[in-house]
Amino acid sequence: NFRDLISDKPARFPSKVRIYADDKAMHIDIKYMGAAPYVKKAEDGSRDVWNNDLAEIFLENKPNNQIFNQFVVAASGARWMSVANNKADFNSWSAETKVLEDGWEASLTLPYACLGMSGKPVDGSYMKFNICREHRVKGTFTKLDPTKGNRLASHSIVDNSSLVFCNGEYGNQ
């Protein structure tokens, strides 16, 4: 149920995200549908990552009192990151992608250590977050312009986007 940042209407292309946690990591499964993805070969950490359809994930970094950690996975499988400790360690997290005829899927595993946490969050703790779908359309990324749906506005982690860690009755909501 993604929404357009500008119009606050349902997004043009359907998107589904499932977030769950275990004792060692947070997992994010993403399915973007409705359009064949733009896929360009890229290496982890390279500028070419941004020339793909992307999933961009921002997670608040409370332990280090930083604004956010940023994890990006491209439809090609290439990754990019910006973390509070400024060390881009691509071995600290993983992502797998699968290109479909009418979209693409990604599965990310983010160990708590790469989020600056010493272990699994306690029940009731939370962090602000934002997950952004970027579908490349001709002219979209020529300059930062939120009216074209590009990434300028996606760097906001607004107050109403909290990810709450819990177990039991509310664990699947």
Side-chain angles (χ1 to χ4, degrees):
N1 296 331
F2 278 39
R3 301 196 62 83
D4 183 281
L5 281 173
I6 305 303
S7 69
D8 195 30
K9 293 180 180 175
R12 181 174 165 198
F13 301 115
S15 302
K16 294 182 180 182
V17 174
R18 177 178 178 242
I19 302 172
Y20 60 100
D22 60 27
D23 288 337
K24 296 181 181 180
M26 179 187 311
H27 304 273
I28 303 173
D29 293 337
I30 301 168
K31 186 170 185 175
Y32 291 148
M33 301 155 289
Y38 183 83
V39 181
K40 181 177 180 183
K41 184 177 169 127
E43 299 295 324
D44 287 347
S46 74
R47 290 181 156 278
D48 288 334
V49 168
W50 302 101
N51 293 323
N52 281 265
D53 279 17
L54 303 172
E56 198 167 4
I57 296 102
F58 296 90
L59 297 163
E60 181 180 31
N61 188 306
K62 286 185 178 183
N64 292 320
N65 199 25
Q66 298 289 321
I67 297 173
F68 57 74
N69 290 315
Q70 178 184 20
F71 299 91
V72 177
V73 62
S76 67
R79 300 171 299 151
W80 191 90
M81 65 189 294
S82 174
V83 292
N85 64 11
N86 296 318
K87 295 177 184 174
D89 179 6
F90 290 100
N91 293 320
S92 68
W93 64 289
S94 64
E96 295 179 11
T97 60
K98 179 180 178 182
V99 175
L100 309 170
E101 185 177 315
D102 191 31
W104 64 288
E105 298 174 345
S107 292
L108 290 80
T109 299
L110 305 171
Y112 299 121
C114 82
L115 299 173
M117 303 167 131
S118 59
K120 183 178 181 178
V122 298
D123 283 359
S125 62
Y126 70 93
M127 66 173 57
K128 295 177 184 174
F129 80 108
N130 183 8
I131 297 179
C132 177
R133 176 182 185 169
E134 297 178 27
H135 176 59
R136 205 173 149 79
V137 177
K138 186 177 181 179
T140 301
F141 290 90
T142 55
K143 63 180 180 175
L144 292 176
D145 181 355
T147 64
K148 291 183 178 177
N150 71 22
R151 60 189 302 275
L152 178 66
S154 69
H155 285 81
S156 301
I157 303 178
V158 296
D159 288 339
N160 66 352
S161 58
S162 293
L163 178 63
V164 179
F165 294 90
C166 59
N167 217 351
E169 185 177 341
Y170 300 100
N172 291 322
Q173 297 183 11

